[in-house]
Amino acid sequence: MRSESSPAARFITRLTWDALPREVIDRAVMCLTDTLAAMLAGRTTRSARITADLAHAWWPAGAASSIVSGRRLAPGGAAFANAVAANAVDIDDCGIYTWGHPGAQVVPAALALAEEHRLSGRELITAIVIGYEIAFRAGRCLNHEQSAVHSAERTYRACGSWGSVACAAIACHVLGLDETTTRHALGIAEYDSPDLPMMRAIDTPGMVKHGVGFGALTGLLSADLARRGFTGIEPGLDLEEFRPFVDDLGHDYYLPRGITWKRFSSCAWTHPALLAVEELRTRHPLAPESIERVVIATYPDAVRLGTRRPETTEEAQFNLAWPVAAMLVDGKVGPEQVGDSSLGSEAIAGLARRIDVVVSEELSRRYYLSEINDPEGSDSAEVTVTLTDGTVLSSGRVDHVLYPEPGWTWDDMREKFTWLASGRLEPASVPRLLEALADVESADDSSILMRDLASCLIPVPTEQGVPS
């Protein structure tokens, strides 16, 4: 290692519960609750079932729980499979500087290790905080150049790339590795992280999505390799050019202001348009049969999602017309609206065919400013609806505030968890689990939470060709 010090390794190895500000703890508990809700929402998808089936085939039974089957897995297998479930319907959190989803990797990795090592609630929360704070910095280092690329043809590396480093950090902390070994683990994770060309997944969506399963797995493998003496490259977090991104670790926590929680089960680039439709629906009845045409003006990344009719849930999530049409027809965009069973809906499909998307120069300018944290920047859309009687309705510019996420309370998070747990957990267990989550910091053994949750799972229906 060329540099003589590592703020990242120092933070990972030395952080204690007593050093955490109250607002960071509270945010971490909400992130845990949100990601568990996303895991439950995604557990019935084909991608989650396939991944869980592979995990049971490849890894021997161990201490950690599968959110799909409820059965036990080795920690690596559980983290891998549960991460895929957490991101399977795209209702998991987004993180500042990451261009993606930290919780879907951080929380499954931390929970798997918590079950294996019987971590207390405070130890679990501390590990989660480390994962998020390193994710923010690792994502910023990895994709820092892309924020300056103002072109629809740009690309960037998706979540598993920087998530590998974040999950390695969690494992190093839990395993009690020293700073030198931790730096090797971070270097191994970065070097062996998946490449994940994100924009190609926008153009041809598949179950690979953001690569979160491989991020969680690579991180745990990297820490275990380092623990056994395997060496890595100098981690990017230690490079001089990135020191401004990491020198504030342990002093300035990004978690309270760096997370966006989702109300819609679709790519975050669709959310400004969905918020615009919500505003229009509050002012006008907008019966679907009365709509002649819809035009969505927004920025290039959102427009790239396109209007093709989806054939899979992944194509529905990485689409602009489909979720907007679903919002106009059903008044919501949840797992059901983007699920395989809804893709045959002629009501949604018919309206989606009447939706056009266009690039707005002004909204593009604001979008690119938002990526460099300029106060004038915003993620925005404007939706114009023409009715069959010739009436034209416009939402005006509607902004999606990403960071800090406004307005979420513990009651809001309880409501989201209850919504997404419906049909996936035994109903009587939901209040008990929410109470345990709210008081998780008092738990002497946090693994009880996952064991309780696993015992209350409603079995996933068997589908031909898909493991149960």
Side-chain angles (χ1 to χ4, degrees):
M1 300 292 175
R2 291 178 297 174
S3 58
E4 295 180 358
S5 65
S6 173
R10 187 162 56 251
F11 173 74
I12 293 163
T13 58
R14 300 184 189 182
L15 184 67
T16 64
W17 168 266
D18 293 336
L20 294 178
R22 186 72 241 176
E23 63 174 348
V24 175
I25 294 168
D26 291 342
R27 202 71 165 178
V29 172
M30 289 182 74
C31 285
L32 169 62
T33 306
D34 182 79
T35 306
L36 278 172
M39 289 163 63
L40 290 168
R43 65 182 290 262
T44 61
T45 61
R46 290 174 60 89
S47 61
R49 283 180 281 171
I50 290 169
T51 308
D53 183 63
L54 180 142
H56 283 295
W58 279 43
W59 284 277
S65 304
S66 163
I67 199 74
V68 176
S69 68
R71 289 156 39 207
R72 313 292 275 174
L73 280 167
F80 174 65
N82 291 341
V84 172
N87 183 240
V89 294
D90 225 327
I91 202 160
D92 49 311
D93 65 29
C94 299
I96 194 169
Y97 299 125
T98 66
W99 292 18
H101 305 268
Q105 301 167 89
V106 164
V107 171
L111 285 171
L113 292 168
E115 287 195 89
E116 181 183 37
H117 295 276
R118 296 294 185 94
L119 300 185
S120 70
R122 292 184 174 190
E123 290 169 332
L124 170 62
I125 294 169
T126 304
I128 288 172
V129 171
I130 286 171
Y132 273 99
E133 293 297 326
I134 294 298
F136 299 141
R137 273 76 172 188
R140 192 177 189 185
C141 294
L142 184 67
N143 288 313
H144 73 287
E145 294 179 342
Q146 289 302 313
S147 293
V149 179
H150 296 177
S151 166
E153 301 307 315
R154 67 179 175 174
T155 187
Y156 64 97
R157 291 175 66 188
C159 308
S161 298
W162 46 261
S164 300
V165 177
C167 293
I170 293 170
C172 289
H173 176 81
V174 171
L175 294 172
L177 305 187
D178 61 31
E179 290 188 29
T180 299
T181 309
T182 294
R183 295 176 73 186
H184 281 293
L186 300 178
I188 296 166
E190 182 179 346
Y191 191 85
D192 288 333
S193 64
D195 182 59
L196 304 177
M198 185 64 225
M199 299 310 286
R200 287 168 61 189
I202 298 298
D203 296 335
T204 54
M207 294 180 185
V208 292
K209 293 192 75 182
H210 302 98
V212 292
F214 289 96
L217 177 59
T218 302
L220 299 194
L221 288 172
S222 299
D224 210 354
L225 282 167
R227 180 174 68 89
R228 298 168 189 268
F230 205 82
T231 59
I233 61 170
E234 184 170 28
L237 291 167
D238 287 350
L239 298 181
E240 189 63 32
E241 63 183 303
F242 297 135
R243 288 300 287 264
F245 300 166
V246 297
D247 277 342
D248 59 359
L249 276 165
H251 306 288
D252 183 11
Y253 289 88
Y254 295 178
L255 192 54
R257 66 179 187 276
I259 285 294
T260 286
W261 291 307
K262 286 183 162 188
R263 295 192 295 113
F264 308 125
S265 191
S266 58
C267 175
W269 292 338
T270 70
H271 290 207
L274 293 173
L275 292 171
V277 170
E278 274 195 331
E279 287 203 11
L280 281 172
R281 293 181 81 249
T282 61
R283 303 198 301 264
H284 309 283
L286 287 182
E289 62 273 13
S290 71
I291 297 174
E292 180 72 27
R293 183 170 182 251
V294 178
V295 177
I296 305 168
T298 186
Y299 48 86
D301 285 346
V303 169
R304 188 164 174 170
L305 293 169
T307 60
R308 62 191 178 277
R309 179 165 182 170
E311 296 181 1
T312 66
T313 181
E314 290 80 23
E315 291 180 358
Q317 295 164 46
F318 288 140
N319 191 295
L320 188 51
W322 186 266
V324 167
M327 176 66 79
L328 287 164
V329 171
D330 291 346
K332 59 182 178 180
V333 181
E336 289 74 23
Q337 281 68 40
V338 299
D340 291 328
S341 62
S342 293
L343 300 184
S345 169
E346 284 305 321
I348 297 176
L351 187 51
R353 285 193 291 269
R354 303 198 294 276
I355 294 177
D356 296 319
V357 297
V358 297
V359 172
S360 160
E361 290 188 11
E362 172 60 14
L363 299 187
S364 300
R365 184 185 71 83
R366 297 181 67 90
Y367 172 65
Y368 292 130
L369 286 174
S370 74
E371 296 198 333
I372 57 173
N373 298 316
D374 188 292
E376 192 183 350
S378 63
D379 282 26
S380 308
E382 181 175 353
V383 174
T384 303
V385 177
T386 302
L387 303 182
T388 52
D389 65 3
T391 302
V392 178
L393 307 171
S394 175
S395 67
R397 193 191 87 213
V398 174
D399 299 335
H400 178 213
V401 179
L402 290 171
Y403 312 112
E405 173 69 57
W408 280 76
T409 65
W410 177 246
D411 285 341
D412 294 323
M413 191 58 72
R414 288 175 57 93
E415 183 178 344
K416 179 177 178 179
F417 185 94
T418 303
W419 166 44
L420 296 179
S422 176
R424 297 163 178 91
L425 279 179
E426 295 293 344
S429 70
V430 173
R432 182 180 72 251
L433 289 166
L434 281 168
E435 184 177 349
L437 283 164
D439 195 37
V440 67
E441 69 182 78
S442 301
D444 293 328
D445 180 0
S446 65
S447 69
I448 294 173
L449 173 67
M450 278 301 285
R451 291 202 300 274
D452 189 9
L453 186 150
S455 71
C456 301
L457 294 170
I458 295 174
V460 176
T462 301
E463 179 183 339
Q464 187 175 2
V466 179
S468 61

